[in-house]
Amino acid sequence: MPVQIILGAQWGDEGKGKIVDHLSNRVDIVARYQGGANAGHTVILPGKKGQPDRHFVLHLIPSGIFHKHVACVIGNGVVLDPAALLSEIHQLETSGINVSGRLLISHNAHLIMPYHKALDAAREQGENKIGTTGRGIGPAYIDKYTRTGIRVVDLLDRDVLRRKLKHNIESNNEVLSKIYHKDELNVDKIIAEYQEFDKKIDEYVTDTSDYLIAALRKKKSILAEGAQGALLDVDHGTYPFVTSSNPTSGGACTGLGIPPTSVNSVVGVVKAYSTRVGNGPFPTELTNAIGEQLRKIGSEFGATTGRPRRCGWLDLFSLGYSVRVNGIERLAITKLDVLDGFDEINVCIDYTLDGIPVKHFPTDLQKLERVVPRYRTFKGWKSSTSSLRKFSDLPREARAYLAFIEKHLGTTLWMVSVGARRDQTLFAK
Ligand code: GDP
Ligand code: IMO
Ligand code: MG
């Protein structure tokens, strides 16, 4: 069965964009299944004839878009911000990447409305700030689950759109009236704006579940691209410091409308260390000079918001949990090159709580905030890996580090990335 899920196994920004782009030359379809423009997936394309590399950050469009033969699907599980989408399409097209005829958007995807972003910002004013990306993700999923959301298909009917809009604005009136000045949140204005969007996105909208199932029947291969990461999953992550969707592998089926029996492999993208952007527990975080060094060498600043990412050592205890929840069989380890200059590299193997070893990864905050990681120390390789093109050429110490991760997690190491560019990718198997 030809569906392969590629997802982030940590707290996002593992390098999914690079890995998905790299693997897209061997698939027919790449499909995003959840999240929205909170994602920032970076893809670097080689410059043409002596020109510098081209740097793209995708927020909604799947990272397979740079391969002309690939159809890109935005599934029903995604919350779609039409303004963000159109700006992304424009950016791609001005760079000569045409999306017409191979971008498909689910008619069932929920729309991000202007007030979702305002509500997102308003919620972040209070206590227990999540540190969201401010893209309106939580409030859009709230509407979806309270069954008042506005879907792409609703853009076709002005009356439905008006009724739903009025209802949603009125039910949030108390908060919205504090944010917007009188008459600023004008229903007619929003309808006009979204109908204009509708005209522009109409050519892409279809029943994507139907499309994918038909493609499966024709034996086409599909790569399901996760956004965010497993530890940000609303059900399985470090709740409440999570996003509002299911980046874990189960989300791919509901978010695309494909059956679980069509999935044949799950690949976890893992950064060779850990990062987290936004608030929430992070047991292996380094708030010292080493953390600073990781941030600097790894250019750890958010691709969507530009915020500095919190950095720390690799955490195999949370990753073990991620491997189990997602059914990850193969690993793509990225940013190995960032560790090139370190004398010693630590890896967290488990946690203790009040001096007692913790048996299971605690997803409740009260425990997770108090755990103490136990580390195993590896000797650094102290040489540059970024120009290496064969796995077997990696320094012995680097291979020992990778072999330990592979064995400890009981998975197969498949790919190793030693730089952001396409050619900086090694296959271990
Ligand atoms: P994503 O959200 O998982 O797609 O990851 P992001 O694009 O937000 O962040 C990953 C960052 O690391 C981007 O700037 C990539 O260009 C960069 N990157 C990806 N793989 C590598 C790698 O192997 N080495 C280095 N140094 N950078 C990488
Ligand atoms: P990609 O796909 C890293 C984080 C936010 C915040 C939490 C909730 O590029 O890996 P939200 O805006 O989703 O309500 O914010 O989730 N977050 C991400 N962190 N990478 C992402 O996406 C993220 N998308 C959301 O920082 O902590
Ligand atoms: Mg990112």
Side-chain angles (χ1 to χ4, degrees), residues 8 12-19 39-44 55-58 63 225-228 269 271 273 297-304 309 333-338 416-421 424:
D13 302 328
E14 297 88 349
K16 299 175 290 294
K18 168 182 165 160
I19 298 296
H41 296 180
T42 312
V43 177
I44 312 277
H55 187 279
F56 294 89
V57 179
L58 299 168
S63 307
E225 175 180 2
Q228 290 80 55
V269 185
K271 203 177 275 193
Y273 47 98
I297 303 170
S299 307
E300 293 296 354
F301 295 89
T304 297
R309 295 174 182 150
I333 298 189
T334 60
K335 303 192 93 160
L336 185 74
D337 54 299
V338 175
V416 179
S417 174
V418 291
R421 293 199 319 264
Q424 294 174 305

Side-chain angles (χ1 to χ4, degrees), residues 271-289:
K271 203 177 275 193
Y273 47 98
S274 304
T275 62
R276 174 165 201 165
V277 60
N279 301 336
F282 182 179
T284 63
E285 180 172 16
L286 294 162
T287 49
N288 55 14

Side-chain angles (χ1 to χ4, degrees), residues 7 33 53 63 85 90 98 110 123 145 184 189 197 249 264 276 300 346 349 356 359 361 416 421 425:
L7 52 83
Y33 57 88
D53 290 339
S63 307
L85 177 77
H90 178 73
N98 209 322
H110 282 248
R123 288 208 171 95
Y145 288 103
E184 219 177 25
K189 207 173 120 207
F197 287 145
S249 53
N264 79 330
R276 174 165 201 165
E300 293 296 354
N346 285 340
I349 46 170
I356 299 162
K359 282 205 181 102
F361 178 71
V416 179
R421 293 199 319 264
T425 315

Side-chain angles (χ1 to χ4, degrees), residues 2 90 184 232 254 256 261 292-293 315 340 345:
H90 178 73
E184 219 177 25
L232 287 172
T254 46
L256 294 174
T261 44
E292 196 56 52
Q293 211 179 338
D315 180 350
D340 284 350
I345 296 157

